Amino acid sequence: MSNGDEIPAPPVVPLGDLQATAPPRQRADAVRNRARILSAAERLFSEHDPRTVTMDQIAKAAGVGRATLYRSFPDPSAVATALLDEHERRLQGQMIYGPPPLGPGGPPAERLAAFYFAVLDLLQRHLPLALGAETGPARYTTGAYAFWRLHVRTLLEAGGVKDPDALADIAMGPLAPELYHHQRHTLGIPHERIAQALSLLARRLLGAA
């Protein structure tokens, strides 16, 4: 150069730094896609029998590719589980931190009855999601079921039941989404009567124990 000055070399950007700029965009896209998938799936689950909804239908309704859908969810049941998860987490918080009888502090029989009421209310409001996520063998593998079962087992043990491990799943049986659907929509039993029957069951299980 005429003035003898050297042109500074451009700063070297490590490859790792270049790669680090990609994930935020990818994460933003993933968040948007997930929201679109869940919104479309919730609409499909409410309009059709959730057990008949396919991944192709969800992908088409969400406007995403099959590969994008499968990166987030392996099957329709997993999509329904994700939708139901937020509602169940809210109920779990009430059971742990809320006032009695649903929360800590009440007699076991009253707490079990309150638990039945709360889960029935969840089923009433979100039955299509529950049918899509928690039916058949899949019901017993969800984190929510494990939480509910532990709660019921704890109440049975506190109430003096001799074999709470064997009885816990039996006490959970009336809360199966298929059974609630059968009682409400096949037999036509009002929600309030189902709740009253489960309240009686709770007191029979623990009142005499």
Side-chain angles (χ1 to χ4, degrees):
M1 298 296 173
S2 60
N3 58 8
D5 293 335
E6 295 184 358
I7 298 176
V12 176
V13 179
L15 181 59
D17 289 344
L18 287 174
Q19 293 173 333
T21 63
R25 173 61 182 273
Q26 293 173 357
R27 285 195 294 270
D29 289 343
V31 169
R32 282 194 294 270
N33 286 335
R34 180 181 174 85
R36 291 168 65 183
I37 290 166
L38 293 179
S39 176
E42 186 161 25
R43 185 172 63 254
L44 286 172
F45 289 141
S46 66
E47 294 173 351
H48 308 281
D49 183 339
R51 293 162 292 189
T52 67
V53 172
T54 67
M55 292 293 271
D56 283 341
Q57 288 175 314
I58 294 173
K60 183 178 180 180
V64 301
R66 283 170 52 87
T68 298
L69 177 58
Y70 276 102
R71 274 197 296 270
S72 300
F73 303 102
D75 51 46
S77 176
V79 183
T81 299
L83 283 165
L84 194 59
D85 185 60
E86 180 60 32
H87 304 298
E88 291 177 331
R89 281 204 305 267
R90 191 175 299 117
L91 175 54
Q92 290 171 8
Q94 294 170 352
M95 292 163 60
I96 297 172
Y97 304 110
L102 182 60
E110 297 300 320
R111 294 200 66 196
L112 182 58
F115 168 72
Y116 280 148
F117 289 158
V119 177
L120 280 183
D121 183 63
L122 186 71
L123 288 174
Q124 183 183 40
R125 289 183 289 114
H126 304 292
L127 184 59
L129 296 181
L131 287 171
E134 298 182 349
T135 58
R139 178 175 185 238
Y140 305 103
T141 63
T142 65
Y145 184 86
F147 183 90
W148 306 146
R149 185 188 187 281
L150 177 61
H151 179 68
V152 170
R153 187 203 177 281
T154 300
L155 295 178
L156 293 173
E157 186 174 33
V161 171
K162 292 182 179 179
D163 194 350
D165 284 317
L167 191 56
D169 293 295
I170 296 172
M172 287 284 294
L175 299 175
E178 305 102 311
L179 177 59
Y180 182 78
H181 180 272
H182 174 69
Q183 290 184 303
R184 286 287 295 112
H185 300 289
T186 302
L187 301 180
I189 300 175
H191 175 88
E192 293 73 16
R193 282 180 56 196
I194 299 172
Q196 290 169 2
L198 288 183
S199 176
L200 176 62
L201 175 63
R203 288 168 173 80
R204 289 289 178 85
L205 284 173
L206 292 174

